Amino acid sequence: MAANVNNASNVPLPDTPDLERQPLLNSNPSGASPYNTNGHGSHRSHIPSTLGGSPYAHLKGSCDHVAPISPVEFEERQTNLSRLLVDLKAGAYIAEPGINMQYFTDIKWSQSERPFLLVVQAKKDKTGTVLTKTTIVAPAFEASRARQKFLPGTSYAIKTWEEGASAYKVVREIIETPWAGTEPVEGEEDDDEEVRHKKPKEIEHIYIDPDMRQFVATGLANALDNSERKVEIANHNIQLLRMQKSAHEIEILRCVSQTTVNVIRAVKGQIRVGVRESEVQAMMTQAYKESGLGYEDGGSLVLFGKDAALPHGSGNDTRLEKGMMVLIDSGARLHGYLSDITRTFWIRRGNSKEMNEELDKVWETVKSAQIAALEAVKPGAACSSIDKAARGYISGQGYGAWFTHRLGHGLGMEGHEEPYLNIGNTDTALKPGMVFTNEPGIYIEGSHGIRLEDVVLVTETGYEILSGNLATSPTEP
């Protein structure tokens, strides 16, 4: 029996668009579902007759109305980083190619043995205004190609190093070279020079990207560490900048998630007994192609029957038979942001009434565990408590030993990112703007596996289900 979520506080962040006006949202002829995004009842999508055309034509242009992240927003991200660096008494943040460099600059660059580095420095001017200086450190022969990666209108400096020289020494020169407008704030220096020189100087922190490769981190530490400076892994507050999504990021994640749900629902309408897992994979590819989302062929888990008992199983290209449930775990990309949705459903029940009823019971247990997790979501709640809510419900129904993975993970520019919702993550508290997956599952090896997964936003007072409605029943995903 599903828990009631009507009284949950599901208030969206400010400036989020009106969900009712977005295309391809769901209309439910039986009335509004209680499992809604904002407490007002969202609707299930109606898939119209294609009259002989593509069964996925209604997906076309699903997210055409959503703009990519603008150059101004990337500048704002660097400004936010700079303010935080000043608060943390840190002189710089350094990253190499990867998601964090891309988040702050939109620069996409492949890692190699040659260091390519982003250096963001922050200081206050005489008026107390926080200033930002962004420098790219690149191999000299790559300088022109690097400049081509800069967003239009950006004012990044670029420093190069020659083959046989040290990129880390270039970084040290950047850190140690004064730059305009960074004199101490008026009144912060003591007029008595003798007293001033006796004051112990605070250690300057140089923060490095947590994902930085060891040889790069070691090279920077050897070049930069001294008695007045310390190189260390980026403070957790810096990582929160990416974890707490902006209104625009949320808009992107909402559309890519809801369109993924609609893709699965459209494909479900084309599945028949006798089809193979690989054929459903092909249906997914075609549906995503028509939707306009970014998707790699074969990028979904499509698992029938006992194949789904392995949470990350690759399948055996099994042919669908009566009595097998279908699990589809799928994600696509929009403007650099990912979706991650799972639905498990019937195409045709089998001849065994007992087995049909058991699978229906497991499905309802997983659905109710999803709802139990949602009811625990609020700012300040520990990530571990959300996992415990779902796990406790499943254990209470006698299936605890078969819920074998964490409840969920953060979602954004990476498919798996912080925060992680597992029973051991007692240190990370939910904050408004965080986005994560809610994906309980029950897996009985040799028999069946059932998982349901939706995307959840933490709001100021509760949550919003960014993927729209939860699945309604084992036949209505």
Coordinates of all heavy atoms in Angstrom, one line a residue, residues 74-123:
F74 N 28.6 31.4 -17.0 CA 30.0 30.9 -16.6 C 30.8 32.0 -15.9 O 31.5 31.6 -14.9 CB 30.7 30.5 -17.9 CG 30.2 29.2 -18.5 CD1 29.4 29.1 -19.6 CD2 30.5 28.0 -17.8 CE1 28.9 28.0 -20.1 CE2 30.0 26.8 -18.3 CZ 29.2 26.8 -19.5
E75 N 30.7 33.2 -16.3 CA 31.3 34.3 -15.5 C 30.8 34.4 -14.1 O 31.6 34.6 -13.1 CB 31.2 35.6 -16.2 CG 32.0 35.8 -17.5 CD 31.9 37.1 -18.1 OE1 31.4 38.1 -17.5 OE2 32.3 37.3 -19.3
E76 N 29.5 34.2 -13.9 CA 28.9 34.3 -12.6 C 29.4 33.1 -11.7 O 29.7 33.3 -10.5 CB 27.4 34.2 -12.7 CG 26.7 35.5 -13.3 CD 25.2 35.3 -13.5 OE1 24.7 34.1 -13.4 OE2 24.6 36.3 -13.8
R77 N 29.6 32.0 -12.3 CA 30.2 30.8 -11.6 C 31.6 31.1 -11.1 O 31.9 30.8 -10.0 CB 30.2 29.6 -12.5 CG 28.8 29.1 -12.8 CD 28.9 27.9 -13.8 NE 27.5 27.4 -14.1 CZ 27.3 26.4 -14.9 NH1 28.3 25.7 -15.5 NH2 26.0 26.0 -15.1
Q78 N 32.4 31.8 -11.9 CA 33.7 32.2 -11.5 C 33.7 33.2 -10.4 O 34.5 33.2 -9.5 CB 34.6 32.7 -12.7 CG 34.9 31.6 -13.7 CD 35.5 32.1 -15.0 OE1 36.4 32.9 -14.9 NE2 35.1 31.7 -16.1
T79 N 32.8 34.1 -10.5 CA 32.6 35.2 -9.5 C 32.2 34.5 -8.1 O 32.7 34.9 -7.1 CB 31.5 36.2 -9.9 OG1 32.0 36.8 -11.1 CG2 31.3 37.2 -8.8
N80 N 31.3 33.6 -8.2 CA 30.8 32.9 -7.0 C 32.0 32.1 -6.4 O 32.2 32.1 -5.1 CB 29.7 31.9 -7.3 CG 28.4 32.6 -7.6 OD1 28.2 33.8 -7.3 ND2 27.5 31.9 -8.4
L81 N 32.8 31.5 -7.2 CA 34.0 30.8 -6.7 C 35.0 31.8 -6.1 O 35.5 31.5 -5.0 CB 34.7 30.1 -7.9 CG 36.1 29.5 -7.6 CD1 35.9 28.4 -6.5 CD2 36.6 28.9 -8.9
S82 N 35.2 32.9 -6.7 CA 36.1 33.9 -6.1 C 35.7 34.4 -4.8 O 36.5 34.6 -3.9 CB 36.3 35.1 -7.1 OG 36.8 34.7 -8.3
R83 N 34.4 34.7 -4.6 CA 33.9 35.2 -3.3 C 34.1 34.1 -2.3 O 34.5 34.5 -1.1 CB 32.4 35.5 -3.4 CG 32.1 36.7 -4.3 CD 30.6 36.9 -4.4 NE 30.3 38.1 -5.2 CZ 29.3 38.2 -6.1 NH1 28.4 37.2 -6.2 NH2 29.0 39.3 -6.7
L84 N 33.9 32.9 -2.6 CA 34.1 31.8 -1.7 C 35.6 31.7 -1.3 O 36.0 31.5 -0.2 CB 33.6 30.5 -2.2 CG 33.5 29.3 -1.3 CD1 32.8 29.6 0.0 CD2 32.8 28.1 -2.0
L85 N 36.5 31.8 -2.3 CA 37.9 31.7 -2.1 C 38.4 32.8 -1.1 O 39.1 32.6 -0.2 CB 38.7 31.9 -3.4 CG 38.6 30.7 -4.4 CD1 39.3 31.0 -5.7 CD2 39.2 29.4 -3.8
V86 N 37.8 34.0 -1.3 CA 38.2 35.1 -0.3 C 37.7 34.8 1.1 O 38.4 35.0 2.1 CB 37.6 36.4 -0.8 CG1 37.6 37.5 0.2 CG2 38.3 36.9 -2.1
D87 N 36.5 34.3 1.2 CA 35.9 33.9 2.5 C 36.8 32.8 3.2 O 36.9 32.8 4.4 CB 34.5 33.4 2.4 CG 33.5 34.5 2.0 OD1 33.9 35.7 2.2 OD2 32.4 34.2 1.6
L88 N 37.3 31.9 2.4 CA 38.1 30.8 2.9 C 39.6 31.2 3.0 O 40.4 30.3 3.4 CB 38.0 29.6 2.0 CG 36.6 29.0 1.8 CD1 36.5 28.0 0.7 CD2 36.1 28.4 3.2
K89 N 39.9 32.4 2.7 CA 41.3 32.9 2.8 C 42.2 32.1 1.9 O 43.3 31.6 2.2 CB 41.8 32.9 4.2 CG 41.1 33.9 5.2 CD 41.7 33.8 6.6 CE 41.2 35.0 7.4 NZ 39.7 35.2 7.4
A90 N 41.7 31.8 0.7 CA 42.4 31.0 -0.3 C 42.8 31.9 -1.5 O 42.0 32.8 -1.9 CB 41.6 29.9 -0.8
G91 N 44.0 31.7 -2.0 CA 44.4 32.6 -3.1 C 44.0 32.1 -4.4 O 44.0 32.9 -5.4
A92 N 43.8 30.8 -4.6 CA 43.5 30.3 -5.9 C 42.8 28.9 -5.9 O 42.9 28.2 -4.9 CB 44.8 30.2 -6.8
Y93 N 42.2 28.6 -7.0 CA 41.6 27.3 -7.2 C 42.2 26.8 -8.5 O 42.2 27.6 -9.5 CB 40.1 27.4 -7.3 CG 39.4 26.1 -7.8 CD1 39.2 25.0 -7.0 CD2 39.1 26.0 -9.2 CE1 38.6 23.9 -7.5 CE2 38.5 24.9 -9.7 CZ 38.2 23.8 -8.8 OH 37.6 22.7 -9.3
I94 N 42.7 25.6 -8.6 CA 43.3 25.0 -9.8 C 42.7 23.7 -10.2 O 42.4 22.9 -9.3 CB 44.8 24.8 -9.5 CG1 45.5 26.1 -9.0 CG2 45.5 24.3 -10.8 CD1 47.0 25.9 -8.6
A95 N 42.4 23.6 -11.5 CA 41.7 22.4 -12.0 C 42.4 22.0 -13.3 O 42.9 22.9 -14.0 CB 40.2 22.6 -12.2
E96 N 42.4 20.7 -13.6 CA 42.8 20.3 -14.9 C 41.6 19.8 -15.7 O 40.4 19.9 -15.2 CB 43.8 19.2 -14.8 CG 43.4 17.9 -14.1 CD 44.4 16.8 -14.3 OE1 45.2 16.9 -15.3 OE2 44.5 15.9 -13.5
P97 N 41.7 19.5 -17.0 CA 40.5 19.2 -17.8 C 39.6 18.1 -17.1 O 40.1 17.1 -16.6 CB 41.1 18.6 -19.1 CG 42.4 19.3 -19.2 CD 42.9 19.4 -17.8
G98 N 38.3 18.4 -17.2 CA 37.3 17.5 -16.6 C 36.1 18.3 -16.3 O 35.9 19.5 -16.8
I99 N 35.1 17.7 -15.6 CA 33.8 18.4 -15.4 C 34.0 19.7 -14.6 O 33.2 20.6 -14.9 CB 32.9 17.4 -14.6 CG1 32.6 16.2 -15.5 CG2 31.6 18.1 -14.2 CD1 31.8 16.5 -16.8
N100 N 34.8 19.8 -13.7 CA 34.9 21.0 -12.9 C 35.5 22.2 -13.7 O 35.0 23.3 -13.7 CB 35.8 20.8 -11.6 CG 35.0 20.0 -10.6 OD1 33.8 20.2 -10.4 ND2 35.7 19.1 -9.9
M101 N 36.5 21.9 -14.6 CA 36.9 23.0 -15.5 C 35.8 23.4 -16.4 O 35.6 24.6 -16.7 CB 38.2 22.5 -16.3 CG 38.7 23.5 -17.3 SD 40.1 23.0 -18.3 CE 41.4 23.0 -17.1
Q102 N 35.1 22.4 -16.9 CA 34.0 22.7 -17.8 C 32.9 23.5 -17.1 O 32.3 24.4 -17.7 CB 33.4 21.4 -18.4 CG 32.4 21.5 -19.5 CD 31.9 20.2 -20.0 OE1 32.6 19.2 -19.9 NE2 30.7 20.2 -20.6
Y103 N 32.6 23.2 -15.9 CA 31.6 23.9 -15.1 C 31.9 25.3 -15.0 O 31.0 26.2 -15.1 CB 31.4 23.2 -13.7 CG 30.5 24.0 -12.8 CD1 29.1 23.8 -12.9 CD2 31.0 24.9 -11.9 CE1 28.2 24.5 -12.1 CE2 30.1 25.6 -11.0 CZ 28.7 25.4 -11.2 OH 27.9 26.1 -10.3
F104 N 33.1 25.7 -14.7 CA 33.5 27.1 -14.5 C 33.8 27.8 -15.8 O 33.7 29.1 -15.8 CB 34.7 27.2 -13.6 CG 34.4 26.8 -12.2 CD1 34.9 25.7 -11.6 CD2 33.6 27.6 -11.4 CE1 34.7 25.4 -10.2 CE2 33.3 27.3 -10.1 CZ 33.8 26.2 -9.5
T105 N 34.2 27.2 -16.9 CA 34.6 27.9 -18.1 C 34.0 27.4 -19.4 O 34.1 28.1 -20.4 CB 36.2 27.7 -18.3 OG1 36.5 26.3 -18.5 CG2 36.9 28.2 -17.0
D106 N 33.4 26.2 -19.4 CA 32.9 25.6 -20.6 C 34.0 25.1 -21.5 O 33.8 24.8 -22.7 CB 31.9 26.5 -21.4 CG 31.1 25.7 -22.4 OD1 30.7 24.5 -22.1 OD2 30.8 26.1 -23.5
I107 N 35.3 25.1 -21.0 CA 36.4 24.6 -21.8 C 36.4 23.1 -21.7 O 36.5 22.5 -20.6 CB 37.7 25.2 -21.3 CG1 37.8 26.7 -21.6 CG2 38.9 24.5 -22.0 CD1 39.0 27.4 -21.0
K108 N 36.4 22.4 -22.9 CA 36.4 21.0 -23.0 C 37.8 20.6 -23.6 O 38.1 21.0 -24.7 CB 35.3 20.4 -23.8 CG 33.9 20.9 -23.4 CD 32.8 20.4 -24.3 CE 31.5 21.0 -24.0 NZ 31.4 22.5 -24.1
W109 N 38.6 19.9 -22.8 CA 40.0 19.6 -23.2 C 40.3 18.2 -22.7 O 39.9 17.8 -21.6 CB 40.9 20.6 -22.6 CG 42.3 20.6 -23.2 CD1 43.4 19.8 -22.8 CD2 42.8 21.4 -24.3 NE1 44.5 20.1 -23.6 CE2 44.2 21.1 -24.5 CE3 42.2 22.4 -25.1 CZ2 44.9 21.7 -25.5 CZ3 43.0 23.0 -26.0 CH2 44.3 22.7 -26.2
S110 N 41.0 17.4 -23.6 CA 41.3 16.0 -23.2 C 42.6 16.0 -22.3 O 43.5 16.8 -22.5 CB 41.6 15.2 -24.4 OG 40.4 15.1 -25.2
Q111 N 42.5 15.2 -21.3 CA 43.7 15.1 -20.4 C 44.8 14.3 -21.2 O 44.5 13.4 -22.0 CB 43.4 14.3 -19.1 CG 42.5 15.0 -18.2 CD 42.2 14.3 -16.9 OE1 42.5 13.1 -16.8 NE2 41.6 14.9 -15.9
S112 N 46.0 14.7 -20.9 CA 47.2 14.0 -21.4 C 48.3 14.1 -20.4 O 48.1 14.6 -19.3 CB 47.6 14.6 -22.8 OG 48.3 15.8 -22.6
E113 N 49.5 13.6 -20.8 CA 50.7 13.7 -19.9 C 51.1 15.1 -19.8 O 51.9 15.5 -18.9 CB 51.8 12.8 -20.4 CG 52.5 13.3 -21.6 CD 51.8 13.0 -23.0 OE1 50.6 12.5 -22.9 OE2 52.4 13.2 -24.0
R114 N 50.7 16.0 -20.7 CA 51.1 17.5 -20.6 C 50.0 18.2 -19.8 O 48.9 18.3 -20.2 CB 51.2 18.0 -22.0 CG 52.2 17.4 -22.9 CD 52.2 18.1 -24.2 NE 53.3 17.6 -25.1 CZ 53.2 16.7 -26.0 NH1 51.9 16.1 -26.2 NH2 54.2 16.3 -26.8
P115 N 50.4 18.8 -18.7 CA 49.4 19.5 -17.9 C 48.8 20.7 -18.6 O 49.5 21.5 -19.3 CB 50.3 20.1 -16.7 CG 51.4 19.1 -16.6 CD 51.7 18.7 -18.0
F116 N 47.5 20.8 -18.5 CA 46.7 21.9 -19.0 C 45.8 22.3 -17.9 O 45.0 21.5 -17.4 CB 45.8 21.4 -20.2 CG 45.0 22.5 -20.9 CD1 45.4 23.1 -22.0 CD2 43.8 22.8 -20.3 CE1 44.6 24.1 -22.6 CE2 43.0 23.8 -20.9 CZ 43.4 24.4 -22.1
L117 N 46.0 23.5 -17.4 CA 45.4 23.9 -16.1 C 44.6 25.2 -16.1 O 44.9 26.1 -16.9 CB 46.6 24.0 -15.1 CG 47.4 22.8 -14.8 CD1 48.7 23.1 -14.1 CD2 46.6 21.7 -14.1
L118 N 43.6 25.2 -15.3 CA 42.8 26.4 -15.0 C 43.2 26.9 -13.7 O 43.2 26.2 -12.7 CB 41.3 26.0 -15.0 CG 40.4 27.1 -14.4 CD1 40.2 28.3 -15.3 CD2 39.0 26.5 -14.1
V119 N 43.6 28.2 -13.6 CA 43.9 28.9 -12.3 C 43.0 30.1 -12.1 O 43.0 31.0 -12.9 CB 45.4 29.4 -12.3 CG1 45.7 30.0 -11.0 CG2 46.4 28.2 -12.7
V120 N 42.1 30.0 -11.1 CA 41.2 31.1 -10.8 C 41.8 31.7 -9.5 O 41.8 31.1 -8.4 CB 39.8 30.6 -10.6 CG1 38.9 31.8 -10.2 CG2 39.3 29.9 -11.9
Q121 N 42.1 33.0 -9.6 CA 42.6 33.7 -8.4 C 41.6 34.7 -7.9 O 40.8 35.2 -8.7 CB 43.9 34.5 -8.7 CG 45.1 33.6 -9.1 CD 46.2 34.4 -9.6 OE1 46.3 34.6 -10.8 NE2 47.1 34.8 -8.7
A122 N 41.6 35.0 -6.6 CA 40.6 35.9 -6.1 C 41.2 36.7 -5.0 O 42.0 36.2 -4.1 CB 39.4 35.1 -5.5
K123 N 41.0 38.1 -5.0 CA 41.4 39.0 -4.0 C 40.4 40.2 -4.0 O 39.6 40.4 -4.8 CB 42.8 39.5 -4.3 CG 43.9 38.5 -4.2 CD 45.3 39.1 -4.4 CE 46.4 38.0 -4.3 NZ 47.7 38.6 -4.4

